[in-house]
Amino acid sequence: MPSLYAVTKTLSLQTKKRFFHKENLNCNKMALNYDKDGLDKDFEKDGRLARNMFNITTNKKQKEMKTVYDFSLTDKKGNSVSLADYKGKVLLIVNTATGCGFTPQYEALETMYKKLRDKGFEILDVPCNQFGHQTPGSDEEVTEFCTMKFGTDFPQFKKSDVNGANALPLFTWLKEEKGYAGGAYEAKLAKVMEDLYNKANAEPRKQNDIQWNFTKFLIDREGKVVARFEPTVDMKEVEKAVEVQL
């Protein structure tokens, strides 16, 4: 009888992984049975090979499982800020703009921040100019606008891209964790938004990309993404979701 190694050596790596995953739990028992019967003296070695490959695959997947703490943002002075600094807190990460129809949401965000920050809540504000060029000012001008008009006090970071080739790694990960569910915008508005976006960017939006300013990602105390809110979602609903995590 051919050994497990002989049977699987011609298979693709992906097929081997599936095979070993399926057979792994029975490897020890089967190896002993084969040894007793004298049918396959190599099976015990092959069983160890199966377990080792399975463990390597599992460990790799575990290492690839990221949290928000694996990322950093750049502040307005150009300093890198590790999001590990926010461990144990509930976060709302928002891409913002100063000249958008949704810009008045700054007021609701600041009200929520003042109400909940003592319970371990933080808002991370990332201004972005990709959506209709609605954030044309410098980082200093954006901060001045927000503090003067809305009295914002939550952390605001360097203006950055959230879509495309230059998107922040943080936002690439956020979009992978929670893609765009669709249906958040009326067809007419969606067409206007798409046209404005395409005029401002060389690369069209992908399915799970940020659709517009003031998209929000809710992060739990373990650094995992638990919800994505399009800017059309009522801020009262966003606040309720935040309170559930606190």
Side-chain angles (χ1 to χ4, degrees):
M1 181 175 179
S3 70
L4 177 62
Y5 176 74
V7 171
T8 61
K9 67 180 180 179
T10 59
L11 300 178
S12 69
L13 180 58
Q14 185 176 5
T15 303
K16 284 180 182 178
K17 287 179 181 178
R18 289 200 299 267
F19 180 80
F20 286 137
H21 182 94
K22 180 179 178 182
E23 296 298 330
N24 183 59
L25 295 177
N26 295 320
C27 279
N28 284 333
K29 183 178 179 181
M30 291 175 69
L32 290 173
N33 288 338
Y34 275 111
D35 283 343
K36 287 177 181 178
D37 295 338
L39 295 176
D40 190 350
K41 297 300 183 182
D42 292 330
F43 199 90
E44 186 175 1
K45 180 179 71 174
D46 294 335
R48 289 196 299 270
L49 174 63
R51 291 193 299 276
N52 289 339
M53 178 171 272
F54 175 74
N55 290 335
I56 289 170
T57 303
T58 302
N59 291 338
K60 184 178 179 182
K61 286 182 179 179
Q62 289 175 343
K63 288 179 181 178
E64 288 175 351
M65 290 179 64
K66 293 183 177 181
T67 68
V68 76
Y69 309 129
D70 294 310
F71 298 92
S72 62
L73 288 170
T74 303
D75 67 18
K76 292 167 290 185
K77 295 181 179 179
N79 301 311
S80 179
V81 178
S82 172
L83 297 192
D85 292 348
Y86 296 97
K87 271 189 177 180
K89 294 191 176 185
V90 174
L91 306 178
L92 194 68
I93 302 175
V94 193
N95 63 288
T96 60
T98 54
C100 175
F102 295 111
T103 297
Q105 288 189 8
Y106 262 126
E107 184 173 356
L109 287 168
E110 178 61 22
T111 299
M112 178 167 49
Y113 183 60
K114 287 180 178 177
K115 177 182 177 182
L116 301 176
R117 64 180 171 183
D118 289 341
K119 295 181 180 181
F121 174 59
E122 288 288 345
I123 295 174
L124 307 185
D125 176 4
V126 182
C128 179
N129 195 38
Q130 287 187 283
F131 305 93
H133 292 305
Q134 294 180 342
T135 314
S138 65
D139 290 317
E140 292 75 14
E141 289 170 334
V142 170
T143 298
E144 183 179 0
F145 170 84
C146 292
T147 53
M148 294 292 291
K149 189 169 180 65
F150 300 106
T152 57
D153 194 34
F154 45 80
Q156 187 175 76
F157 294 88
K158 184 177 180 61
K159 185 166 67 172
S160 304
D161 284 359
V162 298
N163 288 337
N166 297 319
L168 292 173
L170 168 64
F171 275 84
T172 299
W173 174 74
L174 291 170
K175 293 181 290 183
E176 289 173 352
E177 295 297 298
K178 290 291 180 182
Y180 175 53
Y185 311 95
E186 296 180 358
K188 189 174 182 179
L189 175 59
K191 182 64 169 62
V192 171
M193 290 164 55
E194 183 178 8
D195 290 343
L196 285 171
Y197 185 87
N198 289 340
K199 287 178 181 178
N201 300 275
E203 183 181 347
R205 288 177 304 187
K206 296 181 176 65
Q207 172 61 33
N208 290 329
D209 273 350
I210 305 299
Q211 302 297 298
W212 208 250
N213 304 305
F214 289 88
T215 298
K216 306 164 191 73
F217 291 90
L218 179 59
I219 314 295
D220 68 13
R221 292 187 186 274
E222 296 181 348
K224 299 175 183 177
V225 185
V226 294
R228 170 174 171 162
F229 304 99
E230 300 305 313
T232 50
V233 175
D234 192 291
M235 286 299 297
K236 291 181 181 178
E237 290 187 32
V238 177
E239 184 172 335
K240 287 179 181 178
V242 170
E243 289 178 326
V244 169
Q245 299 299 322
L246 291 171

